Amino acid sequence: MKALQASSDDSRLVRHKLFVEGLYKKYLELYGYFGCRTTKEGGSLRMTCEGDSVEASVFEFIIDFMMGPTRLGGSSEDAADFSTRSDMFAAQSIDWGLLSKPLRYQDEVFCRCRVTGHLLLAEIKESLTMLWLSLMMGACLILYFGVEHRFMLMDIRQRRDALSFLTLGAFSLTVRSLLFQ
């Protein structure tokens, strides 16, 4: 069983490495295509693209947006956590042979954007989970009001059993969706 688990973890790591490698290749392709340059001014990175197309402007805007939590209004604790995550991702990428040891500015930008992308996906996942829960509760309310007149025909024990079954079902679906994703 442990061998199967290790095999599963290894294949997951290989898939993750290939995914990051593909992202990095596409990033470098766009970086070169738009003639971008990265500079470090006063401790912060700044990327500019020489291309005068709309695509170059959009690429520059997206990269500038994804440079870190301080640009998104995050606190200093968020910035420290973000910096730690970015450094960990850079070290992992160096171990994989994807990035060179003295990080170039453009590689540092890639690491920051990768971490920001991961954080944005996590926030989207949480938002969609909350949306799903609200839709489920709405469906339960619609079902309740749709059969409410039948509840009034039931005696008190039947009504209690039906409502407890509905409540227990909604609760178990909610717990399953929140804890076992």
Side-chain angles (χ1 to χ4, degrees):
M1 183 69 179
K2 288 188 178 187
L4 181 64
Q5 180 70 24
S7 166
S8 173
D9 290 344
D10 290 343
S11 67
R12 189 177 304 144
L13 182 65
V14 168
R15 283 195 311 256
H16 180 69
K17 181 180 175 184
L18 291 173
F19 175 72
V20 171
E21 192 174 321
L23 282 176
Y24 184 66
K25 285 179 182 177
K26 188 53 128 173
Y27 166 76
L28 287 180
E29 179 184 321
L30 291 173
Y31 191 87
Y33 180 75
F34 295 130
C36 299
R37 302 281 178 263
T38 305
T39 57
K40 197 165 199 172
E41 301 167 1
S44 65
L45 293 169
R46 179 78 179 139
M47 188 183 85
T48 56
C49 295
E50 295 173 359
D52 57 352
S53 67
V54 173
E55 292 87 357
S57 299
V58 168
F59 182 69
E60 185 177 343
F61 174 77
I62 289 173
I63 297 298
D64 191 45
F65 171 77
M66 295 185 76
M67 286 297 282
T70 54
R71 297 194 186 216
L72 300 174
S75 67
S76 60
E77 295 162 356
D78 291 341
D81 181 51
F82 180 82
S83 180
T84 302
R85 285 178 179 228
S86 180
D87 292 343
M88 287 173 49
F89 179 72
Q92 184 182 45
S93 297
I94 290 170
D95 289 343
W96 287 344
L98 191 60
L99 303 177
S100 58
K101 181 60 174 153
L103 278 181
R104 298 176 295 180
Y105 293 149
Q106 69 187 33
D107 294 340
E108 194 172 334
V109 168
F110 173 74
C111 292
R112 289 171 164 266
C113 290
R114 173 73 174 100
V115 171
T116 302
H118 183 269
L119 294 173
L120 286 174
L121 286 176
E123 287 181 21
I124 289 170
K125 179 184 155 221
E126 287 180 22
S127 301
L128 289 177
T129 300
M130 291 301 136
L131 176 67
W132 180 85
L133 287 173
S134 64
L135 289 174
M136 185 189 71
M137 295 308 290
C140 289
L141 285 173
I142 288 171
L143 286 174
Y144 173 75
F145 287 121
V147 296
E148 181 184 21
H149 64 280
R150 296 196 186 231
F151 278 140
M152 296 306 138
L153 299 176
M154 297 179 182
D155 66 0
I156 192 71
R157 281 187 302 188
Q158 289 174 328
R159 196 177 312 153
R160 186 189 67 220
D161 290 345
L163 287 176
S164 63
F165 179 76
L166 177 68
T167 304
L168 183 64
F171 179 75
S172 63
L173 281 174
T174 303
V175 167
R176 188 200 179 297
S177 69
L178 290 176
L179 298 180
F180 305 106
Q181 298 181 11

